[in-house]
């Protein structure tokens, strides 16, 4: 039995003081060993478990045959960002969870193989040079996150003239402003987006649709035949407790944007620092909370703790991220729910939290947290709230007849919204999900847009 290869990691005592990548990637030798573990199943369940249906056994076979360029192209056909997805996809819940080898041993490390090919293609400037026959029909994409980028690539391959409009001053959505450098280096995001520029997709920054231009204008004055809305779920949920407006209280999205997009992680080499103080509390238990906590540690906080209202087993973050956080001395204070943020002179000083006990399982399958009316307080310098995000309501407010649900998620049927010719996908439709789910939605939307344009 050949054992699953272990991902080499940056030393845990060093890495909590820097923003360099934690996971170092497999060596070529590890890649060959890992690829050789694939059973090459007749009915490869991993393919269906991948939201973009990458032909996984095919690219693994190509790796075994030393055909790395071919292997990369096999992935690129379905997924334009292997370097990104190899790093951030929750493979343990997707392709790897369906790997037949996983029944008796550890599944094949498909994500690490994908990452290797993504990096190999960037290092060797391998680019899937596709012949595109222009049809000169204009389509606009709103938002440059994974959903928008994936739809753009699929539409461009079909010959459409594609413009991406992005509200921020740089492209990539959460890949750019949310996921920290130590998990996803910005150079990988840059390179994979550059490839789309080489396909002649046009990128427009600082364009807030709903403010700079409206959907109506794009359809009627700019002559786009169709529009794809991929604006994500960037509006943070609030705790709705006293003291949330004190200095020293951040929402995770704002905090991570200041660190990533505004480059606070590069201080003093960038003039945009963010001060977290010595003790930082992060509220929430998902991936965003783990990112915020690990970033706060790297910004110099001596003590960082996660406050979560259930127990360790119920934490929704990826196990790998939780383990990395623990290794980096992030403390978990469990069964606690913040009820007040207490300040002095408008500055946060203390977090007061109610102790919760766990009851019967609720609809999420996790034990329900029940308030006990007993409290604990913690002295802190900063508090980062990471309890989820909703879609920003700007498009709903500025677009007549755009139907949304009670969480402001756009309602779609076959990717089409309530406005003919206007499509939507990614987090704006599903609520906060994953990179690869958003990319899958972008691909499906491109097919629906193509069908719509060809039949109207
Ligand atoms: C901190 C963090 C960490 C995460 N980690 C992971 C992970 O490890 N693995 C994983 O699979 N998923 C992760 N996710 C979730 C994943 O990133 C999202 O599900 C995914 O990015 C959604 O893609 P999207 O294209 O729908 O939206 P987004 O990535 O949010 O992109 C939307 C884009 O639209 C732009 N936009 C918004 N409104 C407008 C407008 N009116 N006009 C023009 N542009 C607009 C935004 O600026 C943004 O660039 C994480 C999320 C966060 C916040």
């Amino acid at each position: 039995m050949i054992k699953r290869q272990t991902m080499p990691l940056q030393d845990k005592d060093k890495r909590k003081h820097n923003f360099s990548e934690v996971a170092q990637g497999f060596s070529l030798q590890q890649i060959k060993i890992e690829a050789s573990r694939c059973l090459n199943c007749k009915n490869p369940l991993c393919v269906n478990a991948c939201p973009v249906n990458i032909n996984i056994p095919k690219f693994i076979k190509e790796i075994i045959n030393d055909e790395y360029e071919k292997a990369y192209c096999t992935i690129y056909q379905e997924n334009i960002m292997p370097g990104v997805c190899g790093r951030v996809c929750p493979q343990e819940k997707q392709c790897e969870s369906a790997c037949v080898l996983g029944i008796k041993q550890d599944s094949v490390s498909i994500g690490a193989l994908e990452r290797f090919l993504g990096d190999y293609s960037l290092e060797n400037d391998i680019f899937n040079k596709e012949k595109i026959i222009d049809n000169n029909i204009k389509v606009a994409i709103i938002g440059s996150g994974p959903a928008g980028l994936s739809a753009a690539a699929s539409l461009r391959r079909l010959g459409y003239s594609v413009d991406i409009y992005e509200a921020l001053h740089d492209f990539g959505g959460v890949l750019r402003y949310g996921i920290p450098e130590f998990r996803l280096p910005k150079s990988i995001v840059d390179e994979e987006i550059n490839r789309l520029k080489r396909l002649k997709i046009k990128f427009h920054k600082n364009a807030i649709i709903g403010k700079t231009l409206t959907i109506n204008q794009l359809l009627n004055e700019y002559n786009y035949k169709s529009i794809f809305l991929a604006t994500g779920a960037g509006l943070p949920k609030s705790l709705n407790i006293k003291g949330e407006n004190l200095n020293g209280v951040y929402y995770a999205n704002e905090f991570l944007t200041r660190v990533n997009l505004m480059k606070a992680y590069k201080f003093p080499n960038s003039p945009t620092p963010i001060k977290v103080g010595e003790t930082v509390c992060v509220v929430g238990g998902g991936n965003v909370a783990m990112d915020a906590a690990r970033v706060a540690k790297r910004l110099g906080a001596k003590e960082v703790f996660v406050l979560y209202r259930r127990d360790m087993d119920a934490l929704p973050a990826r196990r790998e991220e939780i383990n990395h956080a623990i290794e980096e001395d992030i403390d978990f204070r469990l069964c606690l729910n913040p009820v007040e943020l207490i300040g002095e002179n408008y500055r946060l000083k203390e977090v007061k939290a109610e102790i919760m006990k766990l009851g019967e399982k609720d609809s999420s399958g996790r034990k329900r947290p029940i308030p006990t009316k007993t409290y604990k307080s913690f002295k802190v310098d900063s508090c980062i709230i990471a309890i989820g995000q909703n879609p920003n309501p700007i498009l709903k407010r500025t677009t007549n007849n755009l139907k949304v649900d009670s969480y402001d998620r756009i309602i779609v049927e076959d990717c089409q919204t309530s406005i003919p010719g206007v499509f939507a996908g990614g987090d704006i439709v599903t609520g906060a999900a994953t990179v690869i789910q958003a990319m899958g939605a972008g691909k499906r939307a491109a097919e629906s847009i193509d069908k719509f344009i060809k039949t109207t």
Side-chain angles (χ1 to χ4, degrees), residues 321-333:
E321 301 307 325
I322 297 168
N323 292 341
H324 287 176
I326 293 170
E327 285 171 8
E328 291 166 13
D329 296 333
I330 309 294
D331 191 16
F332 288 78
R333 301 189 185 166

Side-chain angles (χ1 to χ4, degrees), residues 172-193:
V174 171
L175 308 178
R176 172 80 52 190
Y177 76 75
I179 304 181
E181 177 77 11
F182 56 82
R183 283 211 295 126
L184 177 61
K186 301 292 157 263
S187 56
I188 302 289
V189 181
D190 287 340
E191 290 295 332
E192 295 203 326
I193 290 180

Side-chain angles (χ1 to χ4, degrees), residues 118-131:
D119 291 358
Y120 179 90
S121 76
L122 295 177
E123 279 154 22
N124 295 285
D125 197 29
I126 296 165
F127 179 56
N128 197 5
K129 297 168 201 81
E130 296 149 279
K131 192 161 166 42

Side-chain angles (χ1 to χ4, degrees), residues 88-90 142-148 165-168 172-175 177-179 183 207-210 230-233 253 256 287-288 291 318 389 392 394-395 425-428 432-436 438:
V88 304
C89 267
I142 317 304
S144 69
Y165 291 90
E166 167 56 51
L168 298 173
V174 171
L175 308 178
Y177 76 75
I179 304 181
R183 283 211 295 126
I208 307 176
I209 303 306
T231 47
N253 259 24
L256 292 170
N287 287 322
V288 181
D291 281 344
R318 284 180 83 182
Q389 298 94 238
N392 189 307
I394 187 171
L395 288 179
D427 282 6
I428 183 74
T434 66
V435 169
I436 196 71

Side-chain angles (χ1 to χ4, degrees), residues 429-445:
V429 168
T430 55
T434 66
V435 169
I436 196 71
Q437 280 170 319
M439 291 180 74
K443 260 175 87 175
R444 287 191 301 280

Side-chain angles (χ1 to χ4, degrees), residues 56 89 93 98 187 201 219 234 258 302 334 364 369 380 398 449:
I56 294 164
C89 267
K93 292 190 185 145
S187 56
I201 290 167
L219 283 173
R258 286 182 60 180
K302 289 211 170 81
L334 303 162
S364 72
V380 294
T398 56
I449 289 171

